[in-house]
């Protein structure tokens, strides 16, 4: 039982942090890119909230990879920020989820007031899955709460409301 505890609460947490968050060398991430969803998903960023609050808080900086329209860069290479904009519809919704989990777990609501600029770039053409580019930094910025709201509103474009 002790060995299982050391493995699951020690070594595996370290491995995930070292490979996914710091080295960015997980599966499909061998180029060292930051993955928006990868940084926020429960198994990575949000999964560390109870024992690694600073990692979850750091991952909130993903808000700076959100386009004005509400979608996000699927992945990007620092320091240039060159990366991929896609039609992936779940990426941007991880920001509100991870932010909510962070606030509920830590009680730290100050994360909602942190600001980040949006990105600017051409939308992905309807016939394309994605494109690789270097987006510009928008003059427009918002706090993390507003980034989360924008992500949800962008996602509502895909919902069908029928009140019959």
């Amino acid at each position: 039982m002790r060995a299982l505890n050391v493995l699951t609460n020690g070594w595996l947490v370290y491995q995930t942090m070292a490979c996914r968050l710091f080295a960015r060398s997980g599966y499909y991430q061998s180029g060292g890119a930051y993955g928006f969803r990868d940084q926020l998903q429960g198994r990575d960023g949000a999964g560390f909230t109870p024992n690694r609050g600073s990692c979850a808080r750091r991952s909130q900086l993903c808000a700076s990879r959100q386009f004005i329209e509400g979608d996000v860069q699927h992945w990007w290479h620092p320091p240039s920020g060159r990366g991929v904009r896609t039609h992936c519809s779940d990426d941007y919704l991880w920001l509100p989820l991870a932010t909510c989990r962070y606030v509920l777990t830590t009680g730290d609501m100050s994360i909602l007031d942190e600001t980040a600029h949006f990105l600017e770039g051409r939308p992905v053409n309807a016939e394309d899955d994605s494109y690789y580019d270097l987006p510009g930094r928008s003059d427009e910025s918002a706090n993390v709460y507003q980034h989360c709201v924008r992500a949800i509103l962008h996602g509502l474009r895909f919902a069908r409301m029928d009140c019959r």
Side-chain angles (χ1 to χ4, degrees), residues 104-164:
L104 290 174
T105 303
T106 66
D108 177 12
M109 294 183 62
S110 67
I111 190 71
L112 300 173
D113 296 324
E114 290 187 16
T115 61
H117 284 269
F118 291 98
L119 295 177
E120 289 183 340
R122 72 168 175 84
V124 181
N125 295 328
E127 66 275 5
D128 296 330
D129 292 327
S130 62
Y131 73 89
Y132 180 77
D133 198 11
L134 177 60
R137 180 178 160 197
S138 172
D139 290 334
E140 184 180 348
S141 65
N143 62 32
V144 170
Y145 175 80
Q146 293 163 329
H147 277 270
C148 292
V149 169
R150 192 168 298 202
I152 292 168
L153 291 174
H154 184 71
L156 287 175
R157 296 178 316 119
F158 301 104
R160 181 172 179 238
M161 303 296 277
D162 191 349
C163 300
R164 285 187 259 165

Side-chain angles (χ1 to χ4, degrees), residues 39-57:
Q39 294 295 311
L40 296 172
Q41 275 180 329
R43 70 177 190 270
D44 294 338
F48 293 123
T49 300
N51 59 350
R52 300 287 192 269
S54 63
C55 288
R57 189 171 175 87

Side-chain angles (χ1 to χ4, degrees), residues 24-44:
R24 299 179 312 274
S25 62
Y27 192 62
Y28 290 134
Q29 206 173 7
S30 58
Y34 277 102
F36 192 91
R37 183 175 45 192
D38 295 336
Q39 294 295 311
L40 296 172
Q41 275 180 329
R43 70 177 190 270
D44 294 338

